[in-house]
Amino acid sequence: MLYSEKVMDHFRNPRNLGTIDDADAIGEVGNAKCGDIMKMYLKIKDGIITDVKFNTFGCGSAIATSSMATEMIKGKPVTEALKLSNKAVVEALDGLPAHKIHCSVLAEEAVKAALFDYYQKHPELEKPEGLSDCAACSGGCCSCH
Amino acid sequence: MKVYADNAATTKISDTAFNAMLPYFKEMYGNPSSLYTLGQKSQEALCSARETMAKYLNCDMKEITFTSGGSEADNQAILTGAYLGEKQGKKHIISSAFEHHAVLHTLKKLEKQGFEVTLLPVHEDGFVRPEELKDAIRSDTALVTIMYANNEIGTVQPIRELGAVCREKGVLFHTDAVQAAGHIKIDVKADNINMLSMSAHKFHGPKGVGMLYAKKGINLYTLIEGGAQERGKRAGTENVPAIMGMAAAFEESCKNLEKNFEYVKGLRDKVAAELSKIPHSKINGDITKGLAGTLNMCFEGIEGESLLLLLDDRGISASSGSACTSGSLDPSHVLLSLGLPHEVAHGSLRISLSEYNNEEDVAHIIKNVPEVVAYLRSMSPVWKDLTEGKKQYVIQ
């Protein structure tokens, strides 16, 4: 099989699928031209991600990595969510085929883009070092991966 | 319920073809090159298979070279045309933008050897224009290679007219007929074809066998050196069971050509009519002038691989031209050659039916595809932007 059972499970039964109308932060990464776009919606209270939802246009692994990433940051402090790496997402899914690794990078970037949006909206908070706006990346996934 | 709807990828072997192969595994297993009776029986079998192929293509059996399949036949034909031309100082080759990779990658190899390649456009409807071929032919054109029918969208090219242009200009004409053979009538003489490739597993024969027709007088370039099999043009002990299976499958397909075409077209047209009701969907290429079973559609706002996986969960085997299914970052070159933007080409679905499909299969496809498309759209941020007017639909 192309994908692990875990990937297929998250693809078939995506966790946290949907949107949040009154989201505190939104991040969108990817490019329709390249075939995948992820959009993440966060509710944040007292520095904790209390709710997260996603919408994804993309292949099986794009949907599965989005789903897994939302599970991994839900209920976590923002500072911890910032540390989410694509590698951790891949490991949690029991691996991805080599040519699908970029989907996990996109999932990491979607979380980072949403958190960047959060810090933009809250200038009173000290923005963590190195947090950049993945959503503003002009090239989309094709040029990065 | 299981529905196999990927007959352009490969087909189920027919009982006729399967049974024709069996005696050549454990009874008549002799090497056709051997002198004794067991070997000569295999030689006679090969001869009868060659006769069958020749009969239904309207050529001489000496003009047929058995190969490992369509890709090998394409490679051999194109290299033959190129090197024959080179001897006369001709190093220009004409092809089309939506050929199979067996053709395009061979042309890339020739470009590295100093050949110049012109790829003719196929326009939005998916056809090469004979007048554009005429204009593209130069005094140094060695070969024209244009597929008989396209593998992704099924459009059948005006081969007879294209062949006539080549004949008039005195240029060798090869056609990759892998999708067409066994599905529509092919007459190499009437169609003005000099070389033609085909593959058995696309018409209910076995995998790993095909053939190259080369008109008498064309000295084929040898890809595989060795023994004197296939008049020295393709070494290696012949795959007798597979060749017997191919001949039986080809004869069966050709005898039932019109009947199968009408039946399969009836099924395909029903699927096309129903799936076209999905909003912002589009049929790729003009299917009224296409193979009976092939239907290629785009659904805006979704991606093809996730569509295929969910259809597979519902028992439907189909294919897509999205980047994720091709293993590259670009969607299918065939869909791009029709002028489709990348984001739309990613949302493509190819359904290809055969005479082994039935009305129940059609009903299953018609029920499930719209449901899966709607589900994927419900989670797609692209679709959300389209419905909220933040982006413009490409497909109206």
Side-chain angles (χ1 to χ4, degrees):
Chain A
M1 287 303 286
L2 175 65
Y3 293 127
S4 71
E5 268 177 44
K6 249 197 187 144
V7 172
M8 286 309 291
D9 177 37
H10 275 262
F11 167 66
R12 289 185 178 120
N13 311 294
R15 318 321 190 239
N16 305 308
L17 184 61
T19 59
I20 299 173
D21 287 339
D22 59 342
D24 296 311
I26 297 175
E28 182 176 316
V29 293
N31 184 329
K33 206 178 163 229
C34 309
D36 33 28
I37 292 184
M38 290 179 194
K39 195 165 184 175
M40 278 199 191
Y41 302 79
L42 305 179
K43 281 298 281 178
I44 298 171
K45 203 181 171 199
D46 302 330
I48 305 283
I49 298 171
T50 55
D51 198 12
V52 48
K53 297 272 183 207
F54 81 94
N55 263 196
T56 290
F57 159 87
C59 60
S61 64
I63 292 168
T65 51
S66 313
S67 165
M68 181 52 91
T70 59
E71 264 206 332
M72 291 171 83
I73 61 166
K74 195 171 175 177
K76 299 276 164 63
V78 167
T79 47
E80 208 172 306
L82 278 167
K83 292 180 196 150
L84 179 79
S85 72
N86 80 297
K87 221 178 140 195
V89 175
V90 174
E91 274 167 17
L93 287 168
D94 292 339
L96 280 177
H99 66 286
K100 298 287 187 179
I101 295 295
H102 80 272
C103 292
S104 67
V105 177
L106 213 57
E108 176 194 324
E109 286 176 351
V111 172
K112 295 237 159 74
L115 293 173
F116 182 85
D117 181 50
Y118 180 69
Y119 281 103
Q120 289 293 98
K121 285 174 179 162
H122 294 273
E124 75 282 5
L125 298 173
E126 194 190 335
K127 197 165 87 175
E129 213 176 299
L131 178 62
S132 65
D133 184 9
C134 284
C137 165
S138 57
C141 52
C142 294
S143 56
C144 289
H145 318 303
Chain B
M1 184 173 178
K2 296 280 176 209
V3 178
Y4 184 72
D6 203 15
N7 288 277
T10 193
T11 59
K12 174 167 111 172
I13 194 163
S14 76
D15 288 342
T16 309
F18 184 67
N19 290 327
M21 293 173 75
L22 292 179
Y24 298 93
F25 286 107
K26 295 180 81 171
E27 291 153 42
M28 287 179 275
Y29 52 82
N31 189 321
S33 301
S34 299
L35 201 68
Y36 43 77
T37 311
L38 191 67
Q40 287 309 299
K41 279 210 154 95
S42 293
Q43 186 61 258
E44 281 164 26
L46 277 184
C47 199
S48 74
R50 214 181 294 277
E51 264 174 8
T52 303
M53 301 308 289
K55 178 181 162 192
Y56 289 101
L57 289 169
N58 190 25
C59 68
D60 190 278
M61 59 186 275
K62 290 195 201 78
E63 296 173 313
I64 285 169
T65 304
F66 293 125
T67 67
S68 65
S71 291
E72 184 190 331
D74 282 339
N75 274 254
Q76 189 167 18
I78 292 165
L79 294 179
T80 294
Y83 297 149
L84 285 175
E86 194 176 26
K87 282 184 195 160
Q88 303 173 292
K90 297 177 175 181
K91 294 189 79 171
H92 176 235
I93 301 170
I94 299 170
S95 189
S96 83
F98 72 171
E99 294 296 313
H100 190 272
H101 285 129
V103 169
L104 291 178
H105 290 175
T106 307
L107 294 175
K108 277 264 170 268
K109 181 155 98 176
L110 286 167
E111 276 183 322
K112 284 182 195 150
Q113 296 172 23
F115 285 84
E116 197 185 324
V117 175
T118 301
L119 296 182
L120 296 173
V122 296
H123 304 271
E124 205 191 326
D125 55 3
F127 298 96
V128 172
R129 307 293 195 260
E131 58 276 17
E132 289 186 341
L133 171 62
K134 205 171 191 173
D135 292 343
I137 291 178
R138 314 189 311 212
S139 58
D140 65 339
T141 303
L143 172 75
V144 171
T145 172
I146 292 169
M147 67 201 324
Y148 212 117
N150 183 267
N151 50 316
E152 289 187 36
I153 60 170
T155 49
V156 177
Q157 302 305 303
I159 288 299
R160 197 166 288 192
E161 289 78 10
L162 297 169
V165 168
C166 292
R167 195 178 58 180
E168 189 192 312
K169 299 264 187 179
V171 179
L172 269 184
F173 179 50
H174 165 252
T175 184
D176 169 0
V178 167
Q179 291 291 327
H183 299 281
I184 50 173
K185 172 87 182 132
I186 295 176
D187 178 328
V188 291
K189 289 201 179 84
D191 290 347
N192 305 304
I193 295 165
N194 300 133
M195 291 188 277
L196 173 142
S197 315
M198 53 192 266
S199 178
H201 74 106
K202 307 287 190 183
F203 49 82
H204 308 285
K207 292 167 184 63
V209 64
M211 56 148 276
L212 172 61
Y213 154 79
K215 195 179 175 182
K216 197 177 168 217
I218 296 173
N219 188 13
L220 287 178
Y221 172 79
T222 312
L223 289 179
I224 300 175
E225 304 291 349
Q229 292 90 355
E230 300 300 295
R231 305 170 317 285
K233 298 304 174 193
R234 206 285 185 181
T237 300
E238 301 88 341
N239 188 349
V240 183
I243 291 168
M244 297 313 286
M246 171 164 72
F250 195 51
E251 178 161 53
E252 189 181 31
S253 295
C254 289
K255 278 183 174 168
N256 296 295
L257 218 54
E258 288 85 13
K259 189 183 84 182
N260 286 343
F261 193 92
E262 284 312 310
Y263 172 72
V264 176
K265 187 173 182 297
L267 298 179
R268 193 272 316 267
D269 287 347
K270 258 180 219 166
V271 175
E274 284 303 313
L275 298 190
S276 292
K277 291 178 186 165
I278 296 175
H280 305 284
S281 67
K282 173 184 196 304
I283 294 173
N284 299 314
D286 181 358
I287 58 167
T288 63
K289 288 185 274 179
L291 295 171
T294 309
L295 173 67
N296 192 307
M297 293 187 71
C298 282
F299 305 104
E300 198 160 2
I302 64 165
E303 194 280 330
E305 191 209 79
S306 43
L307 176 61
L308 294 189
L309 290 170
L310 291 174
L311 289 176
D312 187 32
D313 279 351
R314 293 168 180 233
I316 299 170
S317 307
S319 122
S320 167
S322 87
C324 280
T325 55
S326 71
S328 78
L329 285 172
D330 283 322
S332 138
H333 70 286
V334 173
L335 299 178
L336 297 181
S337 75
L338 301 177
L340 290 173
H342 280 66
E343 57 269 37
V344 172
H346 284 302
S348 77
L349 173 70
R350 180 186 71 184
I351 285 172
S352 46
L353 304 173
S354 81
E355 58 271 33
Y356 290 87
N357 289 110
N358 57 33
E359 294 285 349
E360 264 191 320
D361 296 346
V362 167
H364 194 66
I365 293 168
I366 289 170
K367 179 184 180 290
N368 284 286
V369 173
E371 286 177 11
V372 172
V373 169
Y375 167 70
L376 286 171
R377 280 178 171 173
S378 77
M379 71 158 82
S380 163
V382 175
W383 184 249
K384 193 167 188 286
D385 284 351
L386 290 167
T387 52
E388 288 172 359
K390 289 178 189 158
K391 269 186 196 149
Q392 294 295 311
Y393 290 104
V394 176
I395 307 170
Q396 293 310 314

